[in-house]
Amino acid sequence: MKLVEINRVQSITKKDFVKNYLKPQKPLVIEEFDGNWAAHKKWSLDYMKEMAGDKIVPLYDDRPVHHKDGFNEPHAEMLMSEYVDLLKCEPTKYRIFLWNILKEVPALQKDFSYPDFGIRLLKGVPMLFFGGKDSHTFMHYDIDLANIFHFHFEGEKECILFPQSQNKYLYKVPHAIITHESIDFSNPDFKKWPALEKASGYKTTLKHGEVLYMPEGFWHYMKYKTPGFSMSLRGLARNPKNFAHAAYNIFVMRHFDVLMRKLQGQRWIERKNKKAIVNTNANIGIKE
C-alpha cells in the first residue's frame, strides 16, 4: 500500500482549515487543539472509571460478521469499572464502539465544548471509542459519510485512511460499509490480497490531545498501540453526492442487507465476501 503521513499542524485557524482541508477534503492532524477543554487534563481511563464505573458498556471484538448479528449488536457487556481494569491489566480484543456520553454520563459534557471548525457539528451524538493494546476495528467508512473530528485521549492509536476513490483496490464487501474482514491492514499479505499494493492512502499515529480530521466517507482502520480511548464529533456530508450516498446507505442498503441475512442466512455473508475478492481482483486483471 502507498501510505503517506497525514499532514500535521500544531494549531490552525478556522479560515485556513476550511480553505486547505475542509473544502478540498484532505485529512489533517491538529496536535495542540485549543478549545479550553478540561477534558485535555482530566480525561484518562481512571477518570472514566470514576465517572462511569457503574455503567454497563457494550463491547465488540474482531470476530467475523455472522448473519444472526444485529446491526451494531454488541458481543458482550461489562461494567465500565471492570472494563477499565481489564484494559490496564492485559491485552484484550474487546472495544467500546459508538458509546454516547451525553446519554450515559451527562456530567462529562461539562469537560468539553463544540469547536467551530467552519462546519456545523451534530450536538446529540458525541461518541466514545475504547480499546486495549493491539485491538482494532475493521477497515470501514461511516454509514452517514460524515465529516469526523476524532479526539484522542491516553496512549497511542495507529490510523490508516483511504478516500472512496480507492474502493476498487480495497476488497469492499458489497451491500456493506466494510472491507473483507480477513485483511490485516497493519500488516497486509499482498500475495493473498494483491490489489492492496495499488491502494493509495494515509497513515498517522494519534497521541493524547491530538485531533484527526477525517473527510466525508473516508475509510478508516484503527489499531490501539496502547490502551486508550477517543471521542468523535461529526458534521453532515456537504457534498450532494455523498449526502445522497449516505441516505441510500441508511434507508435502503442497510435494510436490504438485514432482509437478505434473514432470507439466506450465512450464505449471504459468504457470498458477499467472495464477491469482494472476485470484484477487486478483476479490477487489476486477475480472473477467478
Side-chain angles (χ1 to χ4, degrees):
M1 299 185 294
K2 306 177 188 69
L3 301 178
V4 299
E5 289 287 341
I6 295 174
N7 193 34
R8 287 175 163 264
V9 296
Q10 283 192 322
S11 61
I12 192 168
T13 65
K14 177 174 72 172
K15 180 180 178 181
D16 285 343
F17 173 75
V18 171
K19 176 183 177 181
N20 298 316
Y21 297 96
L22 181 62
K23 286 186 176 179
Q25 290 287 278
K26 294 173 58 178
L28 174 70
V29 173
I30 305 172
E31 297 178 336
E32 298 178 6
F33 166 69
D34 182 15
N36 294 316
W37 283 16
H40 286 149
K41 294 182 178 179
K42 294 167 65 175
W43 281 19
S44 65
L45 289 172
D46 286 335
Y47 183 69
M48 290 297 161
K49 179 180 178 180
E50 175 187 341
M51 296 296 292
D54 61 342
K55 299 294 183 181
I56 296 177
V57 294
L59 301 176
Y60 302 81
D61 56 28
D62 58 0
R63 72 186 67 179
V65 171
H66 192 275
H67 76 279
K68 292 184 179 180
D69 295 336
F71 186 77
N72 285 342
E73 182 179 343
H75 301 135
E77 293 181 333
M78 188 180 294
L79 285 172
M80 174 63 92
S81 59
E82 297 174 346
Y83 178 62
V84 171
D85 288 343
L86 177 63
L87 290 182
K88 299 180 73 172
C89 176
E90 61 186 57
T92 176
K93 293 182 178 180
Y94 280 132
R95 295 175 291 106
I96 295 178
F97 174 73
L98 289 176
W99 194 56
N100 190 323
I101 63 171
L102 279 183
K103 177 182 177 182
E104 300 294 339
V105 191
L108 290 176
Q109 170 67 73
K110 300 176 183 178
D111 294 339
F112 72 95
S113 58
Y114 292 87
D116 183 3
F117 287 117
I119 181 173
R120 184 179 179 182
L121 299 177
L122 301 176
K123 295 187 176 181
V125 286
M127 296 294 185
L128 284 183
F129 304 80
F130 291 71
K133 185 179 185 302
D134 292 332
S135 65
H136 67 274
T137 65
F138 295 123
M139 181 67 76
H140 69 286
Y141 68 91
D142 285 22
I143 195 168
D144 60 354
L145 282 83
N147 290 278
I148 302 170
F149 298 87
H150 199 65
F151 300 79
H152 189 62
F153 300 93
E154 190 152 329
E156 297 185 358
K157 178 190 283 188
E158 174 188 2
C159 309
I160 298 175
L161 310 183
F162 292 101
Q164 287 281 315
S165 62
Q166 300 301 296
N167 285 8
K168 58 186 176 181
Y169 303 127
L170 297 180
Y171 296 92
K172 180 187 181 301
V173 176
H175 310 293
I177 56 174
I178 62 173
T179 63
H180 199 290
E181 299 156 305
S182 298
I183 300 173
D184 178 2
F185 276 90
S186 63
N187 185 29
D189 181 347
F190 295 124
K191 290 184 178 180
K192 187 173 183 180
W193 312 104
L196 289 181
E197 286 194 286
K198 296 182 177 294
S200 297
Y202 303 87
K203 64 179 180 179
T204 196
T205 297
L206 290 180
K207 299 180 180 179
H208 179 89
E210 295 183 339
V211 186
L212 170 63
Y213 167 61
M214 292 184 282
E216 298 175 14
F218 263 50
W219 293 90
H220 43 284
Y221 165 92
M222 308 283 191
K223 184 174 183 178
Y224 292 85
K225 300 177 74 172
T226 66
F229 64 102
S230 306
M231 178 177 70
S232 281
L233 302 180
R234 63 204 305 111
L236 293 176
R238 292 150 48 110
N239 182 305
K241 181 179 179 181
N242 289 339
F243 192 84
H245 186 177
Y248 170 78
N249 286 346
I250 295 169
F251 297 111
V252 179
M253 184 269 290
R254 178 171 63 176
H255 297 289
F256 175 73
D257 186 60
V258 169
L259 175 63
M260 294 303 293
R261 291 187 192 200
K262 291 180 180 179
L263 294 176
Q264 297 189 7
Q266 196 61 21
R267 288 186 297 117
W268 171 246
I269 304 296
E270 293 170 357
R271 176 182 165 193
K272 291 199 302 176
N273 286 336
K274 182 177 181 180
K275 199 72 174 174
I277 297 173
V278 172
N279 289 348
T280 303
N281 284 345
N283 290 333
I284 61 170
I286 299 177
K287 297 183 179 181
E288 296 295 319

